[in-house]
Amino acid sequence: MSKIIPFKAVRPTPDKVALVTCRNYDDYSPAELASWLDFNPYSFLHVINPAYVHSQKITLDKRFKGVAHKYQDFKNDGIFIEEEKAVFYLYQIQTKTQSFRGIVAGTSIEEYKNNIIKKHEDTLQYRVELFKDYLHQTGFNTEPVLITYPDRVEINDWILQKKKSQPIYHFSTTNKEIHTLWQVDNEHEIFWLEKQFEQIPELYIADGHHRSASAELLYDEDKHLGNPNLNYFMSFLIAESDVKIYEFNRIIRDLNGHSKDDFLEKISDYFIIKPKQQELWKPQDKFEFGMYLDGNFYALFYKINDNNNFNNKNKSSILSNLDAQILYDKILHPILGIEDLRNDERIEYIPGKQSILTLKELIDEGEFEVGFMLFPSDISEIKLLADNNLIMPPKSTYIEPKFRSGLLIYEL
């Protein structure tokens, strides 16, 4: 049983929604951020990055208080409005290549604690505590956790019907996306959606593990205050078939003292190596890897044997047969000497949605020596790991859709 609840969101007025909402703060370069803040006084970037010129000179405590004050200024200026009653939302993001749609609702901290809402990524405690402090001092969150549920014909049919009704928002953004939001305020529809999700035994976090962990920590610390909003966190619930999963490709600064020939010889113990010269080759299936080294591409095919049979479903084999784990276990750690995938400065990551030419150019410029391309995981692998309480290696997946900041705000 999965419990979802409607909530009283704070959201931009319809005439300003295209100006207010923005991409995730981390997506902006410093120059782009400064440009947007100078150009657009309504941007939510002003809220999440107040007094941006001096942002490196103030403490986190002052910065969080600045966020809270700026948010209140936006409300006082009539840029935001608050729902009169608790509602659900249907949200659609249409890109040049794909359309995503899902339900925005509150999901239960208790179910998160009881592993009904399942995880597949590890979290860094300092980041969890930092975002918990942010939530505590600002009193709101505008970045929902992306959660997947098994496709249900009933919900899919309801979404198709709901899309025929009048949305409260329909706007385009400068990155050529179209965003549409429908309000679900009919009590019968709300009750029906709640009952539909009660029939779903488990939900899976696709993106937002730190946000959900921070919401849990805030609940543990502040539940004595009796604030019912702390019992839930805002989530964007999307059917499994609608999620788009990309890989994270890896680029490494050096060969750890190995010559090119020595390196190729060492990896040949575990991989069949096929030179591709200048062909921009990417993996076509699981257990295949692309490599770019010394101006040439290579196809690497993992040597399957009885010890790494993916059909074996015991815990050790589930993780060891994950492509990102194979690359770490056979090349990155033993040959290239990379132990900490999160913090080693010799490795960086490129989302798979970016062109393979990006990886090639970075290596050709000389700062990096070798790059690896992976085949993206699918939702079944993620669920299998989560069901067995296993954790993916860092930077294994880049998952879309990405929610617009400032579109819907969950107040605490």
Side-chain angles (χ1 to χ4, degrees):
M1 173 179 173
S2 300
K3 183 176 182 179
I4 63 170
I5 63 159
F7 64 99
K8 287 186 177 182
V10 174
R11 55 184 176 84
T13 57
D15 63 314
K16 295 184 180 68
V17 62
L19 293 170
V20 172
T21 63
C22 60
R23 306 195 310 272
N24 183 281
Y25 172 77
D26 293 332
D27 287 350
Y28 294 87
S29 68
E32 191 180 12
L33 178 64
S35 176
W36 271 107
L37 290 168
D38 287 338
F39 163 74
N40 180 7
Y42 295 109
S43 174
F44 197 70
L45 291 168
H46 286 285
V47 175
I48 56 181
N49 194 39
Y52 72 96
V53 173
H54 306 291
S55 61
Q56 301 303 317
K57 301 177 182 178
I58 61 176
T59 64
L60 283 173
D61 182 66
K62 288 183 178 179
R63 187 171 182 177
F64 293 163
K65 288 178 180 177
V67 171
H69 291 153
K70 194 65 178 180
Y71 173 60
Q72 192 60 49
D73 288 344
F74 267 48
K75 292 179 70 176
N76 293 340
D77 290 343
I79 298 170
F80 286 121
I81 55 176
E82 184 175 357
E83 298 288 4
E84 294 182 358
K85 66 176 186 177
V87 300
F88 291 128
Y89 299 92
L90 173 63
Y91 178 40
Q92 177 175 278
I93 305 169
Q94 192 167 350
T95 71
K96 289 181 286 186
T97 59
Q98 195 160 352
S99 183
F100 305 97
R101 64 203 62 80
I103 297 157
V104 186
T107 47
S108 167
I109 291 286
E110 182 180 356
E111 292 192 349
Y112 176 81
K113 285 177 171 289
N114 292 331
N115 208 33
I116 294 171
I117 300 175
K118 297 194 169 188
K119 320 154 193 69
H120 71 268
E121 285 186 8
D122 206 356
T123 56
L124 297 173
Q125 189 60 26
Y126 83 90
R127 285 187 59 191
V128 172
E129 293 182 2
L130 180 67
F131 194 64
K132 181 267 298 178
D133 291 341
Y134 172 89
L135 295 174
H136 179 79
Q137 295 199 46
T138 63
F140 72 86
N141 180 32
T142 186
E143 297 183 11
V145 176
L146 182 64
I147 290 181
T148 67
Y149 61 87
D151 284 67
R152 290 180 64 85
V153 173
E154 297 87 348
I155 297 178
N156 290 341
D157 290 344
W158 173 83
I159 288 174
L160 290 175
Q161 286 299 119
K162 188 66 180 178
K163 285 177 58 179
K164 297 177 182 178
S165 64
Q166 183 70 27
I168 57 174
Y169 297 144
H170 183 71
F171 63 97
S172 299
T173 57
T174 53
N175 59 344
K176 300 181 179 179
E177 293 179 348
I178 299 173
H179 297 257
T180 312
L181 188 76
W182 293 265
Q183 187 185 66
V184 185
D185 59 354
N186 178 280
E187 290 185 6
H188 173 74
E189 280 187 298
I190 289 173
F191 179 77
W192 183 85
L193 275 174
E194 289 174 335
K195 290 300 180 184
Q196 285 294 314
F197 276 87
E198 285 179 5
Q199 298 175 51
I200 298 174
E202 296 156 335
L203 301 172
Y204 293 83
I205 295 177
D207 191 25
H209 287 79
H210 284 90
R211 295 192 289 277
S212 53
S214 297
E216 178 190 26
L217 188 57
L218 183 67
Y219 167 82
D220 290 340
E221 291 190 2
D222 289 354
K223 60 185 176 183
H224 64 280
L225 299 176
N227 179 359
N229 288 353
L230 294 176
N231 298 337
Y232 300 88
F233 55 88
M234 183 169 64
S235 294
F236 184 29
L237 299 124
I238 186 168
E240 291 174 2
S241 62
D242 267 356
V243 173
K244 178 64 176 177
I245 304 174
Y246 296 91
E247 74 281 8
F248 264 107
N249 296 318
R250 282 97 161 98
I251 49 177
I252 292 85
R253 297 186 190 278
D254 58 69
L255 295 182
N256 196 30
H258 299 292
S259 67
K260 172 186 170 182
D261 291 340
D262 181 43
F263 176 68
L264 290 172
E265 183 179 349
K266 286 183 178 297
I267 66 174
S268 68
D269 290 343
Y270 300 102
F271 300 89
I272 298 169
I273 305 172
K274 293 189 176 180
K276 295 291 182 177
Q277 284 81 42
Q278 299 303 305
E279 179 186 347
L280 298 177
W281 191 85
K282 292 186 68 175
Q284 306 300 305
D285 205 348
K286 184 172 174 57
F287 298 130
E288 297 179 5
F289 302 81
M291 183 174 71
Y292 184 67
L293 173 66
D294 194 28
N296 289 292
F297 285 91
Y298 297 83
L300 309 181
F301 299 94
Y302 188 44
K303 296 177 179 178
I304 306 296
N305 56 49
D306 292 339
N307 295 323
N308 50 35
N309 183 357
F310 188 67
N311 293 321
N312 187 343
K313 299 301 182 184
N314 67 61
K315 281 194 174 187
S316 61
S317 68
I318 292 169
L319 186 59
S320 64
N321 284 286
L322 193 68
D323 282 0
Q325 190 68 40
I326 290 169
L327 185 65
Y328 176 77
D329 287 341
K330 305 305 182 187
I331 297 180
L332 298 183
H333 184 206
I335 301 175
L336 295 179
I338 293 172
E339 295 187 17
D340 188 343
L341 290 171
R342 288 188 186 277
N343 301 308
D344 196 315
E345 295 182 353
R346 294 171 55 229
I347 184 170
E348 290 193 12
Y349 302 89
I350 302 174
K353 66 177 297 183
Q354 292 189 24
S355 169
I356 192 173
L357 288 171
T358 302
L359 180 146
K360 179 182 184 300
E361 289 168 0
L362 286 168
I363 294 172
D364 288 345
E365 289 170 0
E367 185 178 352
F368 297 88
E369 194 158 351
V370 63
F372 297 96
M373 292 76 76
L374 286 76
F375 188 74
S377 295
D378 61 26
I379 193 67
S380 62
E381 279 190 308
I382 290 174
K383 290 177 65 175
L384 188 60
L385 287 160
D387 288 341
N388 285 275
N389 297 313
L390 295 170
I391 300 300
M392 274 188 159
K395 297 291 186 181
S396 291
T397 56
Y398 179 90
I399 298 179
E400 288 188 336
K402 301 296 184 185
F403 205 86
R404 265 326 250 188
S405 289
L407 180 67
L408 294 172
I409 296 169
Y410 184 87
E411 292 193 335
L412 300 166

